[in-house]
Amino acid sequence: SFLDSAGDSAREVVNPNRGYGAIPLVVLTAGPRRALATPWDFGHDQLAALSTAGVNRYVPDSGHMMHRERPDAIVAAVNDVLGRVSLSSHTTTR
């Protein structure tokens, strides 16, 4: 089940041996930043740190259904990443 494999999946995704270089990366975490970090907060921080251009952005007034509760935050994150990507670095020759 999902709950049985969530820990293993998280360790595979947040693998310090896997680096994303300077690829723009925005991780969205539901709710305000807490005084005492939860395992989710810590994991999201670690995931964002896999890129030198990574950031963990907390989204107030959101929960697990962020795409419904705060679609504006998702659009802003996508636009942020797209704004940092140079079109010239992704051109291909045919």
Side-chain angles (χ1 to χ4, degrees):
S1 82
F2 169 76
L3 294 177
D4 292 336
S5 63
D8 291 336
S9 294
R11 280 186 290 282
E12 191 170 321
V13 170
V14 183
N15 179 347
N17 295 321
R18 171 190 274 168
Y20 298 128
I23 294 174
L25 173 64
V26 177
V27 179
L28 299 177
T29 301
R33 186 159 188 100
R34 300 152 202 49
L36 295 174
T38 68
W40 286 108
D41 297 330
F42 183 67
H44 288 185
D45 287 341
Q46 287 182 308
L47 179 59
L50 292 176
S51 169
T52 59
V55 62
N56 182 8
R57 189 173 296 158
Y58 286 80
V59 182
D61 303 321
S62 68
H64 187 70
M65 301 294 282
M66 190 182 299
H67 61 287
R68 289 187 177 182
E69 299 158 349
R70 292 292 310 276
D72 59 306
I74 295 170
V75 170
V78 170
N79 285 334
D80 181 15
V81 169
L82 291 175
R84 293 190 278 157
V85 173
S86 168
L87 292 176
S88 64
S89 67
H90 294 295
T91 60
T92 58
T93 56
R94 294 178 191 240

